[in-house]
Amino acid sequence: MESEKVVETVVAGNYVVMETEGGKREDMKTKVYNLFWHGGSVYDAWFSCASNQVAQVLLTLPYSFSQLGMLSGILFQIFYGLMGSWTAYLISTLYVEYRTRKEREKVDFRNHVIQWFEVLDGLLGKHWRNVGLAFNCTFLLFGSVIQLIACASNIYYINDNLDKRTWTYIFGACCATTVFVPSFRNYRIWSFLGLLMTTYTAWYLTIASLLHGQVEGVKHSGPAKMVLYFTGATNILYTFGGHAVTVEIMHAMWKPQKFKAIYLFATLYVMTLTLPSASAVYWAFGDLLLNHSNAFALLPTSPFRDMAVFITFGFACTPLYFVWEKAIGMHECKSLCKRAAARLPVVIPIWFLAIIFPFFGPINSTVGSLLVSFTVYIIPSLAHMITFKSAAARESAVEQPPRFLGRWAGAYTINVFVVVWVFVVGFGFGGWASMTNFIRQIDTFGLFTKCYQCPPPQFSLLPHLNSTALAPSPANFYHHL
């Protein structure tokens, strides 16, 4: 037993030395570099988790409240926030278990970023790896698509001289610059600014809605239809399922063992943003939100709103870059320019899908039900139960479940509940509702729509000659769902 403890101590020591190696110089250039670029602290992880978790979904939560109603909207946020924190804890536990085992085998991760599918491969085998890789990559792909759609939608409300599709072309080119960011450790300044702008946007939505007051004849009829109810619920499932990049964020930390509480605190902070903003906007505009999935569409133009539009997007592209680099053998290349060039093909399908399906809001729910439900909730819960199903595995586990939750019996009970609930409610009912809603959007607006949910053009004396005419307005769309 003593020898085993010595080995663990040596491994932990080697780990810390490995991660801090090369950081002894304290000249001014190094300090500036570390301040803005080279992050790995618990604060960096917290900024990354908080800014990445809500991101552009913040603007669609009032839309979800109009589908769910005020009470259900609040309860689902709290419920899925806690459930998301639990599965993030499971993922972090499995990561530490995997990394500890590999480091005991003298595996060096200095030039290699561990990802979720590798954790599944190391702990459970290639079949789990393949399933995890398929779900995770597809989710991250569409997560990047959603962020690109949201950026184009937001900037349209500053400058509507260009339609949303044109703005998508422009922002697609801008997003391609992320190929030059090596890893999550280099997102320090961007994650800080992202959270700063997310906080500003949330409180702008809250204060602006309260000052605006309720629109004349406002109605709060939600929940009115099952399709809308479960569509809204799965959007919130997606909101608190942003930890598909948990492993990459943990790997960027100097001490990933401290990650366990970070996601929970990030979730609690995010709730201080999402609950007031979604409630206030829904209170002010009610059922009008059913046809306006982006909350900015209903707020009057002002410099404060234009500042809030510049909300930053998350980091879903970066894990895809890592997967692609590993597939083509470029991941451990030390040349940043070569890696950046190799990453460019990943941006093209994201750009293309954002132009095909510009349905900001409905696409969130569809991705939440079909992909997030498995990637973020079901697979981690099952993986945790199977990894530690034997008594020997539980006894030798690097981290034991919390005592206040009932140790292993409590963890297994929670995991079974998560799997059953998410499969039935999130994937089952949510998948049916989200796909129904998504197909109706295609039928109403069509693919490659030029300007999704844009205000109708001004009527002219000869409307049939108006070359800027948009798709038919879905004014009564939700009435028939």
Side-chain angles (χ1 to χ4, degrees):
M1 293 294 293
E2 290 183 2
S3 61
E4 290 182 3
K5 290 182 179 178
V6 170
V7 171
E8 283 196 23
T9 302
V10 171
V11 170
N14 284 345
Y15 169 74
V16 174
V17 170
M18 181 186 76
E19 294 293 353
T20 57
E21 190 175 34
K24 295 180 180 179
R25 293 177 300 169
E26 294 295 335
D27 55 82
M28 183 58 66
K29 182 179 179 180
T30 302
K31 288 181 180 179
V32 173
Y33 173 84
N34 289 339
L35 177 63
F36 291 103
W37 184 251
H38 202 53
S41 68
V42 293
Y43 302 104
D44 292 302
W46 186 83
F47 285 129
S48 294
C49 287
S51 60
N52 183 56
Q53 186 179 107
V54 61
Q56 306 287 8
V57 187
L58 179 69
L59 304 176
T60 66
L61 287 176
Y63 166 67
S64 296
F65 269 48
S66 69
Q67 298 169 319
L68 289 164
M70 185 76 78
L71 179 60
S72 291
I74 293 172
L75 292 178
F76 268 116
Q77 280 204 40
I78 296 172
F79 176 65
Y80 282 132
L82 294 175
M83 187 181 289
S85 297
W86 170 254
T87 52
Y89 162 75
L90 298 180
I91 293 173
S92 68
T93 299
L94 293 171
Y95 168 86
V96 171
E97 184 73 24
Y98 167 78
R99 179 152 189 170
T100 301
R101 292 182 187 183
K102 288 297 181 181
E103 287 181 347
R104 286 171 180 167
E105 298 171 4
K106 308 301 182 183
V107 176
D108 190 343
F109 292 110
R110 258 176 291 204
N111 296 315
H112 184 92
V113 176
I114 299 173
Q115 294 188 269
W116 175 231
F117 72 91
E118 294 170 312
V119 174
L120 292 174
D121 186 21
L123 297 177
L124 298 172
K126 64 179 182 179
H127 296 302
W128 279 85
R129 176 201 64 196
N130 294 339
V131 171
L133 183 62
F135 273 105
N136 212 46
C137 287
T138 309
F139 168 41
L140 291 169
L141 175 68
F142 279 95
S144 302
V145 169
I146 289 169
Q147 291 166 4
L148 180 53
I149 293 170
C151 288
S153 178
N154 290 349
I155 200 67
Y156 170 80
Y157 295 110
I158 291 181
N159 184 348
D160 58 4
N161 292 325
L162 299 177
D163 57 74
K164 291 182 181 179
R165 188 170 66 191
T166 303
W167 281 120
T168 304
Y169 294 140
I170 295 170
F171 268 91
C174 294
C175 291
T177 59
T178 58
V179 299
F180 292 101
V181 182
S183 73
F184 279 93
R185 190 168 293 160
N186 309 113
Y187 272 110
R188 164 173 279 184
I189 187 65
W190 300 114
S191 60
F192 173 76
L193 292 175
L195 186 59
L196 182 67
M197 293 308 300
T198 300
T199 302
Y200 172 81
T201 301
W203 286 110
Y204 163 75
L205 291 173
T206 304
I207 297 170
S209 298
L210 294 176
L211 293 177
H212 182 278
Q214 292 184 313
V215 296
E216 185 177 356
V218 64
K219 293 182 180 179
H220 300 88
S221 57
K225 305 283 184 180
M226 284 189 64
V227 170
L228 299 181
Y229 189 82
F230 287 107
T231 300
T234 50
N235 186 43
I236 296 179
L237 179 82
Y238 172 83
T239 303
F240 293 99
H243 45 284
V245 294
T246 295
V247 172
E248 288 84 358
I249 293 174
M250 285 188 68
H251 190 82
M253 295 178 64
W254 307 126
K255 298 180 179 179
Q257 295 89 340
K258 294 187 177 182
F259 182 86
K260 294 188 293 296
I262 288 175
Y263 194 90
L264 176 61
F265 288 125
T267 298
L268 294 176
Y269 178 76
V270 164
M271 285 185 182
T272 68
L273 307 179
T274 59
L275 287 172
S277 60
S279 301
V281 177
Y282 178 53
W283 169 82
F285 298 101
D287 290 353
L288 289 177
L289 287 159
L290 289 171
N291 291 326
H292 297 85
S293 53
N294 190 330
F296 282 142
L298 294 173
L299 290 166
T301 302
S302 71
F304 296 105
R305 194 197 69 168
D306 292 347
M307 286 178 61
V309 164
F310 285 104
I311 180 174
T312 62
F313 55 90
F315 317 119
C317 275
T318 304
L320 288 175
Y321 295 152
F322 295 155
V323 174
W324 177 249
E325 288 172 354
K326 292 170 185 176
I328 62 175
M330 290 287 293
H331 184 58
E332 297 187 5
C333 176
K334 295 184 178 181
S335 171
L336 180 59
C337 292
K338 289 181 180 179
R339 288 179 66 188
R343 291 173 170 188
L344 281 174
V346 178
V347 180
I348 296 173
I350 296 171
W351 207 348
F352 187 62
L353 288 169
I355 295 167
I356 299 177
F357 306 113
F359 311 128
F360 184 43
I363 195 174
N364 294 15
S365 300
T366 306
V367 171
S369 61
L370 302 182
L371 298 173
V372 175
S373 56
F374 284 94
T375 304
V376 175
Y377 297 96
I378 294 176
I379 291 177
S381 299
L382 290 175
H384 188 266
M385 288 191 289
I386 296 173
T387 299
F388 300 108
K389 66 179 179 180
S390 68
R394 292 193 294 271
E395 288 176 5
S396 62
V398 177
E399 296 187 8
Q400 300 287 324
R403 185 187 300 273
F404 69 89
L405 290 178
R407 291 296 189 188
W408 290 107
Y412 268 70
T413 302
I414 296 172
N415 287 341
V416 170
F417 173 79
V418 170
V419 170
V420 173
W421 176 276
V422 174
F423 185 80
V424 174
V425 177
F427 175 70
F429 288 103
W432 160 73
S434 299
M435 285 304 299
T436 301
N437 186 23
F438 193 78
I439 292 170
R440 292 292 180 94
Q441 299 291 332
I442 295 175
D443 291 340
T444 303
F445 294 95
L447 301 177
F448 296 98
T449 183
K450 194 172 185 179
C451 209
Y452 176 67
Q453 289 187 341
C454 294
Q458 296 294 323
F459 290 105
S460 66
L461 293 176
L462 297 173
H464 61 284
L465 296 179
N466 187 350
S467 61
T468 62
L470 305 178
S473 174
N476 299 316
F477 169 63
Y478 287 97
H479 177 72
H480 301 290
L481 282 180

